Amino acid sequence: MQEVHDRYGHINILVNNAGAIGKDFAVRDMPVEEWDRLIGTDLRGVFLTTKFALPYMPTDPVGKIINIGSELSRKGRQTQAHYCAAKAGINGFTRALQLEVGPGICVNTLAPGPVATDLILADMTPEWIEKEKEILAGRLGEPEEVAAAAVLLASDEGNFFMGQFVSPNGGAIFT
């Protein structure tokens, strides 16, 4: 973070977007190493990046932290308890952090539903992708649709969003 600060100045916007998809395991069959891998990447990574970026974030103008979560943090999914738990942890982290750093820094979770990203398209079977399309929108979301929500949260128009769960999900929450 010091190198980033030295090169670019203040860190005005932090997007915690690193993440992994969990391998399918029922909890009783899940190796502890798989649980730790997902929690380490998806939750601990958000904590560490935020912790070390905060000293370099301004409060005037307002700093922004956008934590990428998932609508599955509220919905749940069989054989994905580790992924759902990590993403739910991000929701709690977002709200607690907002209480610590507000109003000078806005902290929000952006929690998309199924989106046609390279990661999803490469790792999932065609049958799984077709199943994901069984949402109200009838299709996977496009990365640009999620990006539009991120741009809003990062902009001055997003200054009143604090500790929010914003979920462009095409109605996936209902299926």
Side-chain angles (χ1 to χ4, degrees), residues 11 15 18 20 30 33-34 98-99 105 124 152 154 162 166:
I11 299 172
V15 179
M30 186 179 301
E33 297 78 18
E34 174 65 6
Q98 181 62 79
L99 292 171
I105 299 174
M124 302 304 164
L152 169 66
M162 294 186 179
V166 178

Side-chain angles (χ1 to χ4, degrees), residues 2-171:
Q2 182 65 53
E3 288 180 31
V4 170
H5 182 263
D6 291 346
R7 185 169 188 173
Y8 300 105
H10 289 298
I11 299 172
N12 297 311
I13 302 165
L14 172 64
V15 179
N16 284 310
N17 189 39
I21 296 176
K23 296 177 182 170
D24 287 331
F25 285 105
V27 170
R28 68 173 45 108
D29 300 323
M30 186 179 301
V32 172
E33 297 78 18
E34 174 65 6
W35 175 271
D36 289 345
R37 181 184 74 83
L38 247 297
I39 297 296
T41 301
D42 289 3
L43 182 56
R44 187 172 191 259
V46 169
F47 161 71
L48 289 173
T49 305
T50 301
K51 174 182 175 52
F52 294 112
L54 278 173
Y56 303 102
M57 294 196 84
T59 57
D60 185 21
V62 174
K64 304 293 179 84
I65 299 174
I66 302 168
N67 296 321
I68 304 302
S70 170
E71 116 292 311
L72 291 179
S73 66
R74 291 190 170 176
K75 182 178 170 182
R77 175 165 286 160
Q78 184 177 358
T79 71
Q80 286 292 309
H82 48 341
Y83 179 81
C84 295
K87 295 301 185 176
I90 290 171
N91 300 343
F93 178 78
T94 295
R95 293 182 62 105
L97 180 62
Q98 181 62 79
L99 292 171
E100 291 180 22
V101 300
I105 299 174
C106 297
V107 187
N108 293 289
T109 298
L110 180 57
V115 177
T117 64
D118 292 341
L119 182 65
I120 295 293
L121 297 176
D123 281 358
M124 302 304 164
T125 65
E127 296 79 20
W128 185 92
I129 292 170
E130 287 306 309
K131 176 83 171 124
E132 286 297 298
K133 292 180 183 177
E134 295 175 7
I135 61 175
L136 288 177
R139 63 178 177 80
L140 298 178
E142 293 297 325
E144 295 80 9
E145 293 170 306
V146 177
V151 168
L152 169 66
L153 293 173
S155 72
D156 287 342
E157 287 75 25
N159 287 351
F160 205 61
F161 287 80
M162 294 186 179
Q164 296 302 301
F165 181 91
V166 178
S167 184
N169 64 51

